[in-house]
Amino acid sequence: MKAFEYAQPTTQAEALALLSPEPGKCELLAGGSDLVGLLEKMVLTPDRVVNIAEIDSMQQIEADEIGGGVAIGAAVHLDDALDSPLLAMYPAMMQVISGLGSMQAQAQSTVGGDLFRRPSCWYFRSGNGLLAGGGQMVALGDNRFHAILGNDGPAKFVSASRLAPALIALGATARVIGPTIDDEEFLPLEELYRTPSREGQRETALLPNQVVSHVILPPGEGTSGIYEAKHGAGPGDPMAAAAAALRIEGGVVREAKIVLGQVAPTPWVSREAARAIVGQRVTPETAAAAGRAAVAKAAPVRYRPSEGQHPPSGTVH
Amino acid sequence: MEKTPGKTGFSRRAFLKGSSAAAAATALATAPDVAEAHQVGTAVLAGPTVIVLTVNGKDHKVNVEPRTTLLEVLRYQLDLTGAKPVSGDGSSGASTVLVDGKPMMASTLLAVAVRGKKIETVEGRGGEKTPDAVQKAFVQYDAQQCGFCTPGFVVATRAFLDKNPKATEADIRGGLNGNICRCGTYANVIQAAIAVAKGGGNG
């Protein structure tokens, strides 16, 4: 690891004062389950690490008096979220955490940390940058787990957050603070993510000196769930995920939000899938039709194992 | 979330919360004794720093940098070599320790970030002369081959069964999913864990 300074603020104002407006200078630490490995491998080489896990005001799950939903502090650990009765009305979120496949990950990772998990792309994780040669390494190399949607630019990694598809489907809003403590905005969670178009940009729209302090969910009134297609039973990333939040009346879907995960550089809101299921009863047939609609425009990067380079050894799959 | 700061921690923490970053930094700079070194504040740490870690019930003064991991402190300063460096990114489970009772990866925790928390390693669970129920069961069911992953499995099993004392075989398989054994001793590990669960968690 490159040497860095370390600070552990206890308030949101202190945290913001410790951050730098310059990209890459500061990294936010919460549970450490993602960041420390990236520091260890020198994929990230910040001058300062700011630990936001000990900010009291970001460690609570509270009923949102105004909206009727809940406000989840970004520093809430996933196992505590799983045990919280306030979150039982959000099955899609609970299923994601249960499905992480590692109790260590559940205990150590935080809600905010998961939203900012860096991509698992093996070219990125072996130090080739997020776009890995303007997308060329992915296009020419082993790209079996790269983006199949939203991949026409140089970004071909897939968004790594496990919670984001479920939270977006559930209508989550991110409370973003910074650069100063007087700056506060509420951003629909899907707008937090963006596809970078040049090296140096990150996969979220946040400024380097902004922090997501809370995730706010509206009341969980409908039906929700997530399906993650996994390779084997281990704790690795799913190959694809789909979260759905539906309002069903009289057996018929009246409203639907369907968000795909692990398939594009951002969580992928599929309006096509939602359109296919609205007005229908949910049956294996209509669900399959929504699935087909979701991937109708998918364009996998062609895999050319004989022409390309193999992924570097010792990298994360 | 349960918080277990050091003995004098709570009031000091509350004080720091209400003070400015500068005041906190000054207060910390003039706080050399062991009890004070437990404290957490907004002082910016850089380079070698003496901190206190609570490991297996004892306070240890250790010299770390911000980049030093808990695993490095345990192995190279405290000679607690049970937790193992394998993946470096926490994906193997071999460095599982308990932090305030929860299973976490010592390889992906910065030592400075666990000041004031209770750390328990496999060595804290007893040993050859006084093994705990999980350790006894691992011996009885021959739940190790090369043994490299074993300390991580023992700590993980203890943590899982403490939280899920009536766990079924399926629960145990799911719960221990974050630990990897390249010898493939899973069958015996699961049998050992089932035996502990059937014995009411105490073997």
Side-chain angles (χ1 to χ4, degrees):
Chain A
M1 264 185 253
K2 183 180 97 72
F4 48 78
E5 297 173 346
Y6 173 86
Q8 194 166 300
T10 52
T11 67
Q12 296 176 31
E14 287 168 359
L16 291 176
L18 287 158
L19 297 179
S20 161
E22 217 178 312
K25 291 284 181 198
C26 276
E27 294 291 343
L28 293 178
L29 171 71
S33 53
D34 189 34
L35 181 70
V36 176
L38 290 165
L39 296 172
E40 183 70 48
K41 289 177 179 156
M42 304 269 279
V43 174
L44 299 175
T45 54
D47 295 334
R48 178 180 287 178
V49 168
V50 177
N51 181 2
I52 57 169
E54 303 294 335
I55 298 175
D56 290 346
S57 59
M58 287 166 53
Q59 293 175 331
Q60 323 297 331
I61 302 170
E62 289 158 295
D64 175 9
E65 305 290 339
I66 307 159
V70 294
I72 308 166
V76 167
H77 288 263
L78 298 183
D79 61 339
D80 293 320
L82 192 60
D83 291 342
S84 168
L86 286 175
L87 298 180
M89 60 178 159
Y90 306 107
M93 182 184 184
M94 298 298 97
Q95 288 162 14
V96 173
I97 300 173
S98 309
L100 279 181
S102 154
M103 63 174 172
Q104 291 93 334
Q106 291 170 341
Q108 194 172 339
S109 306
T110 61
V111 171
D114 178 86
L115 294 178
F116 288 90
R117 254 187 90 203
R118 304 306 306 277
S120 301
C121 168
W122 44 49
Y123 300 108
F124 168 65
R125 296 250 164 190
S126 47
N128 297 291
L130 192 51
L131 302 186
Q136 284 305 298
M137 293 179 93
V138 177
L140 299 173
D142 191 336
N143 51 37
R144 277 171 291 174
F145 303 108
H146 286 79
I148 60 167
L149 287 162
N151 59 0
D152 42 352
K156 306 201 188 293
F157 62 85
V158 297
S159 172
S161 171
R162 297 284 286 271
L163 282 175
L167 292 175
I168 292 170
L170 290 164
T173 303
R175 177 177 179 263
V176 177
I177 54 167
T180 77
I181 194 62
D182 298 322
D183 301 312
E184 176 193 57
E185 61 178 312
F186 293 88
L187 201 63
L189 188 62
E190 60 202 86
E191 291 176 22
L192 183 68
Y193 297 95
R194 61 108 187 260
T195 303
S197 54
R198 59 181 165 76
E199 198 61 72
Q201 290 179 334
R202 292 213 171 176
E203 57 276 22
T204 74
L206 281 201
L207 298 171
N209 47 6
Q210 285 184 315
V211 174
V212 168
S213 71
H214 292 80
V215 172
I216 296 150
L217 283 170
E221 286 162 348
T223 304
S224 75
I226 188 157
Y227 174 65
E228 296 183 313
K230 292 181 184 168
H231 181 79
D237 291 334
M239 293 181 290
L246 308 175
R247 186 169 63 81
I248 299 174
E249 276 170 19
V252 176
V253 178
R254 297 297 174 191
E255 271 182 81
K257 188 149 192 181
I258 296 176
V259 188
L260 312 183
Q262 318 279 335
V263 295
T266 64
W268 192 260
V269 179
S270 179
R271 291 181 178 81
E272 296 86 349
R275 263 200 301 275
I277 199 80
V278 167
Q280 309 281 333
R281 290 175 181 277
V282 180
T283 65
E285 291 73 29
T286 58
R292 281 193 298 275
V295 294
K297 289 182 185 159
V301 187
R302 193 179 147 214
Y303 178 37
R304 294 176 278 199
S306 59
E307 298 164 37
Q309 56 194 105
H310 292 283
S313 61
T315 54
V316 178
H317 288 236
Chain B
M1 259 150 290
E2 194 192 353
K3 300 201 125 290
T4 49
K7 207 177 166 192
T8 61
F10 205 70
S11 58
R12 178 153 192 97
R13 213 174 124 81
F15 161 70
L16 288 183
K17 244 177 82 183
S19 68
S20 73
T26 312
L28 279 182
T30 56
D33 64 301
V34 170
E36 294 292 336
H38 268 300
Q39 305 320 317
V40 156
T42 49
V44 175
L45 303 179
T49 309
V50 175
I51 62 167
V52 174
L53 294 183
T54 308
V55 182
N56 298 333
K58 280 190 196 143
D59 285 350
H60 298 269
K61 248 188 198 175
V62 292
N63 194 0
V64 301
E65 288 184 55
R67 62 178 164 175
T68 309
T69 63
L70 173 60
L71 183 61
E72 288 165 340
V73 172
L74 294 175
R75 292 182 59 82
Y76 307 132
Q77 294 195 44
L78 303 182
D79 204 25
L80 297 170
T81 54
K84 298 287 189 286
V86 174
S87 55
D89 61 9
S91 57
S92 66
S95 72
T96 303
V97 297
L98 302 183
V99 178
D100 286 344
K102 290 181 174 193
M104 297 191 185
M105 309 307 309
S107 60
T108 59
L109 288 167
L110 296 179
V112 287
V114 291
R115 287 170 291 165
K117 298 183 192 293
K118 285 182 186 152
I119 297 149
E120 192 177 341
T121 70
V122 71
E123 289 88 350
R125 298 305 321 182
E128 237 175 296
K129 285 179 188 155
T130 54
D132 88 339
V134 172
Q135 291 170 331
K136 271 191 227 165
F138 268 61
V139 173
Q140 189 184 343
Y141 287 86
D142 198 15
Q144 56 277 312
Q145 286 187 46
C146 85
F148 213 71
C149 69
T150 309
F153 263 110
V154 168
V155 176
T157 303
R158 184 77 264 168
F160 181 73
L161 293 178
D162 281 350
K163 198 173 176 190
N164 308 279
K166 292 178 181 168
T168 63
E169 176 173 345
D171 297 337
I172 291 167
R173 285 183 182 278
L176 298 182
N177 216 355
N179 291 71
I180 290 171
C181 167
R182 288 296 77 165
C183 305
T185 326
Y186 300 107
N188 294 12
V189 170
I190 304 299
Q191 289 313 309
I194 292 170
V196 179
K198 282 189 177 157
N202 294 311

